Amino acid sequence: MIATPIIESFSNYWPLEDKAIEILNNSVTGKKLKRKAFILKPGEECNHFSFVVKGCLKMYKVDDKGNRHNLQFAIENNWISDYGSFYDQEPSDLYVETLEPSYILQIKKNDVFSLYDNSPLFDRNFRIIIENAFIEQQKRVLQTISSTVEERYLYFLKKYPSLSNRISNVQIASYIGVTPEFLSIIRRKIATK
């Protein structure tokens, strides 16, 4: 069953009934991706929810000066999608790119809506996933406007404990909103405490 990783993930919230499992299994497609592959670029409409089975992806925006601003990382058993583009049916401003060779499962928009209609438990699971994503974005905004760089870095380590060994300092610095050089200073400061 191709959807097994998603079904197992949902068991952490609301296990799906047999009918939803069958529909989900018929709706999921798998994609093997090389490092630096894109599943979304600016100007494209986000038409899938993507679940990471293996690997690491990032969502980011490039500003007018060419600086990259990482918004989210997704590793195994995490979802990644531009929910604004998905639900508003507008072109995205974001990139979603692999940082390592990855394997993802995707569900097309029409299939997501069909699953919402046909399975209250699928709907509940996705409500929890999207609510958690919203809560995380609120925390990110609050950190950006009210936390020190050191606090943002420590939060990154707490949220993504295994990522600091998997991604470069450049990626981490972009996520917390500093230069890689400044991140090195913060890391040394923390190490000497």
Side-chain angles (χ1 to χ4, degrees), residues 133-174:
F134 177 75
I135 291 165
E136 185 55 36
Q137 289 304 314
Q138 280 186 322
K139 287 179 183 178
R140 289 274 330 268
V141 169
L142 289 173
Q143 281 196 332
T144 301
I145 63 175
S146 65
S147 298
T148 66
V149 174
E150 183 176 333
E151 289 168 335
R152 291 195 308 264
Y153 176 63
L154 292 172
Y155 181 78
F156 169 83
L157 293 176
K158 180 181 173 187
K159 174 153 178 58
Y160 299 110
S162 67
L163 262 188
S164 63
N165 298 324
R166 289 173 71 174
I167 63 174
S168 70
N169 286 343
V170 171
Q171 300 299 334
I172 297 169
S174 173

Side-chain angles (χ1 to χ4, degrees), residues 41-144:
K41 292 182 180 178
E44 298 174 351
E45 188 179 316
C46 182
N47 290 312
H48 295 88
F49 281 162
S50 299
F51 181 82
V52 182
V53 177
K54 185 175 192 285
C56 179
L57 287 79
K58 68 174 179 175
M59 183 185 306
Y60 64 96
K61 178 170 176 57
V62 177
D63 66 22
D64 294 340
K65 296 178 183 175
N67 298 314
R68 293 180 182 203
H69 303 278
N70 290 337
L71 303 174
Q72 178 189 355
F73 295 103
I75 57 174
E76 292 80 8
N77 298 312
N78 282 273
W79 293 89
I80 191 162
S81 183
D82 179 352
Y83 296 117
S85 174
F86 186 90
Y87 285 107
D88 292 343
Q89 299 179 330
E90 293 182 357
S92 181
D93 293 326
L94 304 172
Y95 292 90
V96 177
E97 178 184 3
T98 59
L99 291 171
E100 359 178 285
S102 300
Y103 181 68
I104 62 171
L105 299 176
Q106 292 187 308
I107 309 171
K108 290 181 185 175
K109 184 185 297 186
N110 291 341
D111 291 329
V112 169
F113 293 143
S114 176
L115 281 158
Y116 285 166
D117 291 340
N118 290 300
S119 172
L121 294 178
F122 186 85
D123 185 52
R124 284 184 191 161
N125 280 307
F126 259 97
R127 190 181 71 229
I128 292 168
I129 290 163
I130 293 169
E131 286 170 354
N132 287 340
F134 177 75
I135 291 165
E136 185 55 36
Q137 289 304 314
Q138 280 186 322
K139 287 179 183 178
R140 289 274 330 268
V141 169
L142 289 173
Q143 281 196 332
T144 301

